[in-house]
């Protein structure tokens, strides 16, 4: 069995910037009042049906370790051991969810929400959270299949929850938790990017606060894309110019893209209702005025021109400031971390992204750093190298019962 360690994240001492305010605060609340710590696990638990449909990926495994009756107790043991406050699970098979997964997690104090894939696919995504830490504000499933749009003919889904931290003394912002499993097909980067845009649009809508800002966001899942790929860079940098990009290069899963078409501009059709900034477009109803009909015609023409100009831009954007919990390479050796390992490949495709605290550098040098919103990463459970995993015969094995490793992070919400 390979031991995974907690890595504690150092950050410059923010305690010093604490302003000593009102001394009449209830001392019990003083520390708790403006800090809320919580942990998040993202875990693709490998649906049994998918395992059996893709048995060629598991030729290296001893047969008994592949049975669900062996795998589920192991997975449950892992979940129990790490005891995360929020679980984002992928490849959760519907029949197992109803009979075993949900009842088991409920008995551990979790509230569970589930979104099954569309079509005839028997698995989906679940987000489960501890009653003791959060209350549920809203549940927002996202279906990436759209019968009216030929590009979107795949059955992947996402799930977005808005959670309210249970804090004894103070009002705190909500936290938006999103979970998804994007299309696997390495050659269909056009579909992957569109699915991501649909998820981001839903997150935008759910995390939007009255003052126009966003509440903190945690976005987990199996993105079927590798670190440094265009899709990954888009999530982290908030922008992507995809002009001339081959559809097989979007996710970085495969090296060769010979004979592949490049992404069309725009990638998705206007009737999807999502802008190039990955937000839902407000359907503009042209105002028809009784008088000055010429003016109205001119206004309409102007609107059309603007819309066309935006549609032809090959720049995608989103409005979040997202960081990855993991750094994807071991600092001392530069060897890649892996989150999945089977007969075909050992790579990183699973992520926990989160709203990073933005340091407001607008102040003069020497002034205390103003922190704007966001979450502080306190710790993460270390990942492994491909070599580490083959010393225990790859995944799944006797102790690790999925072909993915669970990702685990501890966050602090300061408010």
């Amino acid at each position: 069995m390979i031991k995974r360690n907690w890595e504690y994240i150092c950050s410059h001492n923010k305690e010093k910037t604490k302003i000593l305010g009102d001394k009449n605060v209830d001392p019990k609340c003083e520390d708790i009042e403006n800090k809320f710590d919580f942990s998040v696990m993202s875990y693709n638990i490998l649906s049994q049906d998918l395992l059996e449909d893709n048995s060629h990926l598991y030729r290296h495994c001893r047969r008994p370790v592949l049975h669900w009756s062996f795998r589920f107790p192991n997975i449950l043991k892992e979940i129990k051991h790490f005891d995360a406050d929020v679980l984002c699970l992928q490849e959760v098979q519907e029949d197992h969810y109803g009979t075993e997964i949900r009842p088991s997690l409920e008995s551990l104090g979790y509230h569970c929400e589930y979104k099954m894939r569309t079509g005839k696919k028997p698995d989906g995504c679940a987000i489960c959270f501890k009653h003791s830490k959060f209350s549920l504000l809203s549940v927002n499933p996202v279906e990436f299949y759209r019968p009216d749009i030929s590009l979107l003919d795949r059955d992947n889904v996402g799930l977005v929850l808005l959670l309210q931290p249970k804090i004894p003394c103070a009002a705190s912002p909500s936290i938006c938790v999103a979970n998804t499993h994007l299309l696997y097909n390495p050659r269909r980067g056009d579909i992957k990017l569109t699915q991501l845009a649909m998820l981001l649009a839903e997150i935008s809508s759910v995390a939007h606060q009255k003052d126009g800002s966003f509440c903190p966001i945690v976005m987990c899942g199996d993105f079927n894309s590798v670190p440094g790929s265009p899709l990954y860079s888009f999530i982290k940098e908030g922008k992507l110019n995809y002009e001339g990009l081959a559809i097989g290069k979007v996710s970085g899963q495969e090296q060769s893209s010979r004979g592949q078409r490049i992404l069309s501009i725009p990638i998705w059709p206007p009737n999807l209702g999502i802008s190039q900034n990955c937000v839902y477009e407000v359907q503009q109803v042209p105002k028809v005025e009784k008088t000055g009909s010429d003016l109205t015609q001119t206004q309409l023409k102007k609107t059309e021109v603007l819309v066309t100009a935006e549609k032809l831009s090959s720049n995608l954007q989103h409005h979040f400031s997202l960081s990855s919990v993991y750094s994807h390479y071991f600092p001392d050796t530069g060897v890649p971390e892996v989150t999945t390992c089977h007969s075909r490949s050992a790579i990183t495709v699973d992520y926990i992204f989160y709203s990073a605290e933005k340091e407001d550098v607008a102040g003069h040098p020497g002034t205390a750093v103003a922190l704007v919103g966001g979450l502080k990463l306190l710790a993460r459970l270390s990942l492994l190298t491909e070599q580490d995993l083959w010393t225990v015969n790859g995944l799944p094995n006797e102790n690790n019962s999925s072909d993915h490793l669970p990702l685990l992070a501890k966050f602090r919400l300061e408010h």
Side-chain angles (χ1 to χ4, degrees):
M1 191 172 178
I2 304 180
K3 183 131 177 54
R4 294 174 63 187
N5 304 308
W6 279 101
E7 299 173 348
Y8 291 89
I9 311 300
C10 275
S11 64
H12 35 264
N13 190 356
K14 291 185 182 133
E15 301 309 308
K16 285 179 186 157
T17 65
K18 201 152 65 176
I19 295 160
L20 297 170
D22 194 294
K23 290 277 183 276
N24 306 325
V25 182
D26 175 351
K28 283 200 300 298
C29 292
E30 199 160 24
D31 256 3
I32 313 165
E33 188 179 32
N34 48 8
K35 288 191 182 80
F36 176 76
D37 292 359
F38 66 102
S39 52
V40 177
M41 173 188 275
S42 184
Y43 195 4
N44 178 329
I45 62 172
L46 178 57
S47 125
Q48 192 63 24
D49 282 4
L50 289 172
L51 182 158
E52 288 164 17
D53 290 348
N54 297 283
S55 55
H56 60 283
L57 299 178
Y58 310 107
R59 288 196 190 118
H60 61 284
C61 301
R62 290 180 46 242
R63 293 299 102 193
V65 309
L66 296 179
H67 294 141
W68 179 246
S69 58
F70 177 86
R71 296 202 306 118
F72 181 59
N74 254 356
I75 289 166
L76 195 60
K77 195 167 75 185
E78 236 174 341
I79 289 172
K80 224 172 178 165
H81 171 72
F82 289 121
D83 196 35
D85 300 314
V86 180
L87 307 173
C88 290
L89 305 176
Q90 304 87 37
E91 289 196 27
V92 177
Q93 195 166 302
E94 190 204 18
D95 53 352
H96 294 154
Y97 176 72
T99 56
E100 297 171 84
I101 299 171
R102 182 178 179 165
S104 302
L105 293 178
E106 286 178 343
S107 73
L108 295 176
Y110 289 98
H111 171 98
C112 302
E113 292 292 338
Y114 180 64
K115 174 60 186 167
M116 191 166 78
R117 282 206 280 165
T118 47
K120 295 191 169 63
K121 303 297 192 300
D123 67 289
C125 293
I127 301 179
C128 314
F129 61 88
K130 289 276 185 73
H131 288 291
S132 56
K133 295 281 283 201
F134 297 98
S135 49
L136 180 62
L137 296 179
S138 73
V139 181
N140 310 273
V142 188
E143 295 185 353
F144 301 141
Y145 172 76
R146 288 282 295 264
D148 54 327
I149 296 175
S150 59
L151 173 72
L152 295 172
D153 60 353
R154 306 304 158 103
D155 294 311
N156 310 81
V157 294
L159 183 59
V160 184
L161 300 193
L162 193 62
L163 301 178
Q164 183 62 45
K166 290 186 174 175
I167 297 183
C169 305
S172 101
S174 322
I175 294 174
C176 177
V177 178
N179 182 20
T180 194
H181 187 176
L182 298 185
L183 177 69
Y184 166 74
N185 189 335
R187 299 193 174 141
R188 293 307 303 269
D190 49 347
I191 301 178
K192 290 183 205 252
L193 277 172
T194 307
Q195 291 180 345
L196 175 62
M198 293 168 82
L199 183 70
L200 291 169
E202 188 60 32
I203 293 171
S204 252
S205 153
V206 172
H208 201 264
Q209 298 180 119
K210 287 192 182 74
D211 66 357
S213 67
F214 296 108
C215 71
I217 292 154
V218 178
M219 182 171 78
C220 297
D222 179 342
F223 289 82
N224 273 314
S225 301
V226 304
S229 64
L231 186 139
Y232 171 89
S233 303
F234 174 51
I235 293 173
K236 279 195 67 175
E237 287 161 26
K239 57 184 195 295
L240 174 67
N241 182 354
Y242 61 85
E243 190 175 0
L245 182 60
I247 61 172
K249 286 276 189 223
V250 168
S251 67
Q253 291 155 289
E254 288 187 349
Q255 296 315 302
S256 158
S257 63
R258 276 203 311 275
Q260 281 179 6
R261 59 187 178 84
I262 59 169
L263 288 165
S264 61
I265 302 176
I267 300 172
W268 58 82
N271 63 327
L272 180 57
I274 291 174
S275 77
Q276 303 300 291
N277 292 333
C278 300
V279 293
Y280 293 124
E281 281 174 324
V282 184
Q283 293 309 311
Q284 295 297 328
V285 181
K287 291 190 183 75
V288 178
E289 292 168 29
K290 295 268 190 305
T291 53
S293 58
D294 294 346
L295 178 69
T296 310
Q297 284 306 311
T298 320
Q299 283 172 337
L300 281 175
K301 281 211 180 72
K302 263 191 196 152
T303 315
E304 271 168 36
V305 168
L306 286 173
V307 168
T308 317
E310 202 236 3
K311 293 276 186 319
L312 293 177
S313 158
S314 59
N315 291 300
L316 292 183
Q317 283 182 300
H318 67 74
H319 299 302
F320 310 119
S321 166
L322 296 173
S323 292
S324 168
V325 162
Y326 289 92
S327 51
H328 317 308
Y329 297 90
F330 287 90
D332 304 338
T333 58
V335 174
E337 299 172 336
V338 303
T339 66
T340 180
C341 177
H342 50 62
S343 299
R344 279 272 174 87
S345 73
I347 51 175
T348 282
V349 291
D350 306 277
Y351 302 91
I352 301 176
F353 295 106
Y354 66 100
S355 303
E357 282 182 326
K358 273 251 197 60
E359 293 189 357
D360 189 1
V361 203
H364 298 293
T367 56
V369 176
L371 296 165
V372 184
L375 298 167
K376 183 170 162 186
L377 177 63
L378 299 178
R380 62 187 174 214
L381 188 67
S382 63
L383 282 168
L384 300 170
T385 67
E386 178 176 6
Q387 202 177 357
D388 291 334
L389 284 168
W390 285 118
T391 64
V392 290
N393 200 35
L395 295 173
N397 58 50
E398 270 67 19
N399 296 297
N400 311 92
S401 281
S402 170
D403 56 350
H404 292 247
L405 293 170
L407 278 55
L408 193 53
K410 291 179 182 173
F411 295 108
R412 173 164 293 165
L413 172 66
E414 290 175 328
H415 54 93

